[in-house]
Amino acid sequence: MLPKRGRARTGCAVCRRHKTFLLVCVQKELALTPYLTYNLTYSMTPFDPHPRIAVLERELAWAHLKIQSLTEELRQQRVKLLGPRSETLSDLQLQLLADEEPGTTLDEVEAEARRTPLPVVPPRQRRPHPGRQRLPENLPRVEEVVRCAEQTCEQCGAATAVIGYDESEQVDVQPARYFVRVTKREKRACRCCQGGTVTMPPLAPRIVEKGLASDRVVVETVVAKYADHLPLYRQAAILEREAGLEIGRATLDGWVMRVGEMLQPVVSAMRQDLLRGSYLQADETIVPVQMHDKRGADHQAYLWQYGKPGGETVFDFCMGRGREGPQKFLGQWEGILQTDGYQAYDTIGGPKLVHVGCWAHYLDSCIIRSECLKGA
């Protein structure tokens, strides 16, 4: 701060002369050195990054040009080393032949130049994530409202109001609940007549008459066995665990057999619908059967399958693999029957039945015959 006029100067005269000398020197340096003047001025102004960015971009562009020039110069040197036939090679091929294999001959370079270039594989495009799976709309919704513990404002203490809900959905399950259904039928009699009879409504028809299980339990047993592949012994264990009810496998087998007997009219209708067509496919598969004589090994029975593309399929159970099974099922049916090479299908059906095979079995037979001819 400069001394005001009329105020006495303080300090040593030598110090004042020294400060004046330094100021004059700095002014001379600023006048004589423009670079120093630019630096002092730049340091006194706020920092501006744009000039520095422009300088760095120019330097980066020059560096890219320099790299391209050096890369092309290195390629020309490798082509000069390997010969003019190497001009069609890629940079990676030139690097392998010139640097990794110094003893490469001209014939090897020419053979490498004639090789078909590898196709360019486009980069695999990542599919966008489909997002969280939406739960089916047909499932019933059971709402559970979670209320706030604090229902007053933290600032003023007034009661807060509900302005909306944040909803989230999770699939849930209600475990099976076993119960005993008690059916009471009214018994009515006339009090005025001494010899009157007692009347009582009839019971509704059931799958297993006089059984301890309702129709719903029997149907669930059959569906679990054939649709979910749950054996009967496991279902018996589940009933004992969940309901405390001990039911033997023989009883469960009786339920399944009873349902099969009731479905026989449906199977007969499906068989008649198949036989009304002009084309059928047939095949057989083995089924192990436990016999009543409690023999060690299971008996090998067969399920004969009859069906058509896009239509129903009927399974016919037989204890053996003889032609009696398909002969009984088809009767005098006349049409196109496609099967494998099993001989039991040869003499069945009506006189106009056409027996055809498939290409897979035909090729297998050709391979077997060729192997036999080679062995002979």
Side-chain angles (χ1 to χ4, degrees):
M1 183 175 180
L2 296 177
K4 293 184 179 181
R5 184 175 300 177
R7 184 177 298 178
R9 295 182 179 181
T10 59
C12 179
V14 178
C15 295
R16 288 197 301 270
R17 287 195 299 271
H18 182 66
K19 292 179 180 179
T20 304
F21 176 75
L22 290 177
L23 181 59
V24 172
C25 291
V26 170
Q27 290 177 352
K28 289 182 179 181
E29 291 291 336
L30 292 176
L32 296 176
T33 310
Y35 181 75
L36 180 61
T37 304
Y38 170 77
N39 287 341
L40 289 175
T41 306
Y42 186 78
S43 62
M44 294 178 185
T45 58
F47 177 73
D48 188 7
H50 296 287
R52 181 60 177 170
I53 294 175
V55 172
L56 293 177
E57 288 179 350
R58 287 194 297 270
E59 292 179 355
L60 181 61
W62 182 87
H64 285 316
L65 294 176
K66 186 65 176 178
I67 291 174
Q68 293 178 3
S69 176
L70 293 176
T71 302
E72 184 62 27
E73 184 178 353
L74 179 59
R75 176 181 174 83
Q76 296 300 328
Q77 291 292 333
R78 289 170 175 169
V79 170
K80 183 178 179 180
L81 177 64
L82 298 176
R85 298 287 298 175
S86 62
E87 293 181 354
T88 58
L89 300 179
S90 63
D91 294 340
L92 181 58
Q93 291 175 316
L94 291 174
Q95 179 182 357
L96 292 176
L97 295 176
D99 300 342
E100 304 296 336
E101 299 180 5
T104 304
T105 62
L106 296 179
D107 295 337
E108 294 176 349
V109 174
E110 186 175 357
E112 189 70 23
R114 289 196 302 266
R115 180 179 298 179
T116 305
L118 297 176
V120 179
V121 180
R124 188 183 66 176
Q125 297 181 356
R126 295 181 61 88
R127 296 181 178 179
H129 194 275
R132 191 172 184 178
Q133 181 182 0
R134 175 69 178 174
L135 296 178
E137 297 295 339
N138 59 336
L139 292 179
R141 263 57 177 178
V142 179
E143 294 186 355
E144 178 185 2
V145 179
V146 180
R147 303 189 181 279
C148 297
E150 298 292 337
Q151 299 184 3
T152 57
C153 180
E154 297 180 355
Q155 298 181 1
C156 64
T160 56
V162 178
I163 60 174
Y165 296 94
D166 179 67
E167 295 185 1
S168 61
E169 294 185 348
Q170 303 87 29
V171 62
D172 201 353
V173 61
Q174 184 176 0
R177 185 175 60 91
Y178 293 93
F179 59 93
V180 178
R181 182 181 298 277
V182 180
T183 303
K184 293 183 178 182
R185 292 186 293 169
E186 290 183 348
K187 295 191 299 182
R188 290 182 172 270
C190 181
R191 297 183 182 273
C192 299
C193 301
Q194 297 296 331
T197 59
V198 178
T199 59
M200 186 171 55
L203 283 172
R206 297 170 55 190
I207 297 177
V208 181
E209 297 293 341
K210 299 181 181 180
L212 294 178
S214 65
D215 293 349
R216 185 177 290 107
V217 175
V218 176
V219 171
E220 287 292 334
T221 302
V222 176
V223 172
K225 175 177 173 57
Y226 292 103
D228 302 332
H229 304 280
L230 190 61
L232 295 179
Y233 76 92
R234 294 185 182 177
Q235 297 191 47
I238 293 175
L239 285 173
E240 184 177 1
R241 183 189 66 212
E242 300 294 338
L245 184 62
E246 296 184 4
I247 298 180
R249 290 174 55 187
T251 303
L252 299 179
D253 289 335
W255 297 355
V256 176
M257 295 295 292
R258 177 56 183 161
V259 172
E261 294 173 359
M262 299 183 69
L263 291 177
Q264 282 300 321
V266 180
V267 177
S268 300
M270 294 173 63
R271 173 178 173 272
Q272 294 298 328
D273 183 68
L274 285 176
L275 297 180
R276 280 193 292 267
S278 61
Y279 172 75
L280 283 181
Q281 294 176 340
D283 198 3
E284 73 284 346
T285 182
I286 60 174
V287 177
V289 178
Q290 294 181 354
M291 305 301 293
H292 293 289
D293 54 6
K294 298 181 180 179
R295 64 182 69 176
D298 296 336
H299 176 73
Q300 183 170 299
Y302 286 86
L303 271 179
W304 298 76
Q305 172 260 328
Y306 305 91
K308 59 184 179 181
E312 56 274 326
T313 301
V314 177
F315 291 90
D316 186 27
F317 175 80
C318 296
M319 293 297 293
R321 200 186 180 194
R323 60 172 50 93
E324 296 82 6
Q327 183 65 54
K328 180 181 178 181
F329 186 89
L330 296 176
Q332 295 298 315
W333 179 76
E334 296 177 345
I336 300 176
L337 179 64
Q338 184 178 9
T339 65
D340 54 11
Y342 185 40
Q343 298 178 357
Y345 297 105
D346 293 339
T347 58
I348 61 175
K352 296 182 180 180
L353 186 143
V354 179
H355 186 199
V356 299
C358 60
W359 282 110
H361 292 89
Y362 174 75
L363 294 176
D364 291 341
S365 62
C366 292
I367 294 173
I368 293 174
R369 291 176 182 175
S370 61
E371 294 294 335
C372 294
L373 292 177
K374 289 180 181 179

